[in-house]
Amino acid sequence: MQKLLNDPANFVDEMLEGILLAHPDRLRAVEGEPRAIVRADATRPGKVGIATGGGSGHLPVFLGYVGRGLADGCAVGNVFASPNADQMLAVTKAIDGGAGVLYLYGNYGGDVMNFDFASEMAAAEGITVETVLGADDVASAPPERASTRRGIAGIFFGYKIAGAAAEAGADLATVKATVEKAFARTRSMGVALAPCTLPTVGHPNFEVPEGQMEIGMGIHGEPGVSREPIRPADEVADELFDHIVRDLQPTRGSELALLVNGLGATPKEELYILYRRVHKRLAEGGHRVHRLYLGEFATSLEMAGASLTMLELDDELTRLVDAPADSPFFLQA
């Protein structure tokens, strides 16, 4: 294991300490709960709060999207592990402005259990909580079981849509319904080329043999749909594209927001090669890319590989996607 570490057991807490020292004007820890991170500016009375959370190791997901026009707070777990309900409750209380709080996170068992428990505790304290789960990974379940799918990089669009709607003054029911609409029009799929190493374990958490790739592998190393020899980038892009479009079935002539995401160890040059092919395929189908996001938006430590996400836009979603947003890890003017 070749990593810049002190004691691996302190990996998450030292990472958080560094982030808070680097961005004291943007982020702060809730008093008494160092794993509950919220916006440094005061909660706006009457604004819906957006809370997220999940395991570390995926920056900028989840913590990186705490900021103006995005999420208001995040509960931070150990690497690839859910935060606990008390941490989530601390975030909820800190960001509640009296208009309720939306829980927005990925569809993983531990997170669901702990967030549900936190929402019950919040309700007991008079805070209204609603939940929307990111479940965009088409490789993880067929369409008839879409609600069981994993949440991967597509959750970025959830933060963007929810944050913009809340900043504009929408009520909790409207924010929830708008994010649900966005997620119903969002699909993702990824490819892994090499594994990552958990700091406290000291060895890769899965294997991808030399010269192989795994189509559809999850961000924690969950099995994909096929393992095969590495193919040219255009063929990989086609594979991801075809799976997504077959599932999403976007209307011909529609506009899309597109996310080409690196998983931690893939340079932007390679992401642009993938985008080149995806752009051509979309144009052939009569679609237009309204807005492109390319880079590292949801990683898995130093995993090599990439994912592709499509969001089919309408007028409302276009307005919200285009709204300004600002966090230490993301800026859109």
Side-chain angles (χ1 to χ4, degrees):
M1 180 172 67
Q2 300 190 84
K3 290 180 176 289
L4 295 173
L5 300 172
N6 294 307
D7 183 343
N10 297 330
F11 175 78
V12 174
D13 294 318
E14 290 183 350
M15 174 269 294
L16 288 176
E17 183 181 358
I19 288 176
L20 294 175
L21 288 171
H23 307 289
D25 58 330
R26 305 277 198 83
L27 302 171
R28 65 178 177 86
V30 176
E31 185 175 356
E33 187 46 81
R35 296 285 188 93
I37 308 300
V38 298
R39 289 170 56 172
D41 53 338
T43 299
R44 191 174 85 209
K47 175 189 170 300
V48 172
I50 310 297
T52 190
S56 297
H58 302 300
L59 277 175
V61 169
F62 300 87
L63 172 60
Y65 299 113
V66 175
R68 181 177 62 92
L70 299 162
D72 297 290
C74 177
V76 181
N78 288 325
V79 175
F80 295 3
S82 173
N84 64 48
D86 289 334
Q87 293 161 346
M88 297 169 183
L89 179 63
V91 169
T92 307
K93 293 167 66 175
I95 68 172
D96 175 43
V101 173
L102 179 72
Y103 283 178
L104 178 59
Y105 59 97
N107 189 21
Y108 295 92
D111 294 325
V112 172
M113 179 180 67
N114 288 325
F115 264 102
D116 283 352
F117 188 24
S119 69
E120 293 173 5
M121 294 191 291
E125 300 202 24
I127 302 173
T128 302
V129 173
E130 295 286 352
T131 297
V132 179
L133 298 179
D136 52 302
D137 185 3
V138 300
S140 56
E144 61 270 21
R145 292 194 291 112
S147 64
T148 70
R149 287 173 170 169
R150 302 182 291 246
I152 52 174
I155 197 172
F156 162 76
F157 287 125
Y159 298 137
K160 189 71 195 62
I161 298 297
E167 289 287 347
D171 62 20
L172 181 57
T174 301
V175 175
K176 179 184 180 183
T178 306
V179 178
E180 288 177 332
K181 180 175 75 169
F183 279 161
R185 303 162 73 104
T186 301
R187 302 289 190 279
S188 301
M189 192 170 183
V191 56
L193 306 177
C196 58
T197 298
L198 278 62
T200 54
V201 175
H203 57 77
N205 61 329
F206 62 90
E207 292 184 2
V208 178
E210 185 78 18
Q212 298 281 303
M213 64 179 183
E214 182 144 353
I215 298 288
M217 176 171 279
I219 58 175
H220 307 108
E222 299 95 337
V225 297
S226 66
R227 179 170 290 187
E228 54 195 86
I230 292 178
R231 290 185 271 144
D234 282 1
E235 294 183 20
V236 175
D238 285 344
E239 180 91 6
L240 303 181
F241 181 95
D242 289 340
H243 276 281
I244 290 171
V245 169
R246 187 163 53 245
D247 199 281
L248 179 61
Q249 298 184 359
T251 303
R252 185 174 179 85
S254 61
E255 295 192 345
L256 302 170
L258 194 68
L259 174 62
V260 184
N261 174 62
L263 293 176
T266 299
K268 280 190 174 181
E269 289 87 344
E270 295 176 27
L271 300 181
Y272 277 109
I273 291 172
L274 292 175
Y275 173 67
R276 161 191 161 276
R277 179 62 174 177
V278 171
H279 183 95
K280 291 180 178 179
R281 291 291 308 277
L282 286 171
E284 290 169 359
H287 306 293
R288 190 175 81 85
V289 178
H290 172 77
R291 188 176 283 271
L292 169 67
Y293 299 93
L294 185 148
E296 292 186 347
F297 289 79
T299 65
S300 186
L301 294 172
E302 77 278 22
M303 185 188 294
S307 64
L308 175 65
T309 302
M310 294 183 194
L311 164 61
E312 185 176 13
L313 298 168
D314 62 9
D315 290 344
E316 179 185 34
L317 295 179
T318 297
R319 184 179 72 255
L320 295 171
V321 162
D322 287 345
D326 185 358
S327 84
F329 294 79
F330 177 78
L331 174 63
Q332 181 171 296

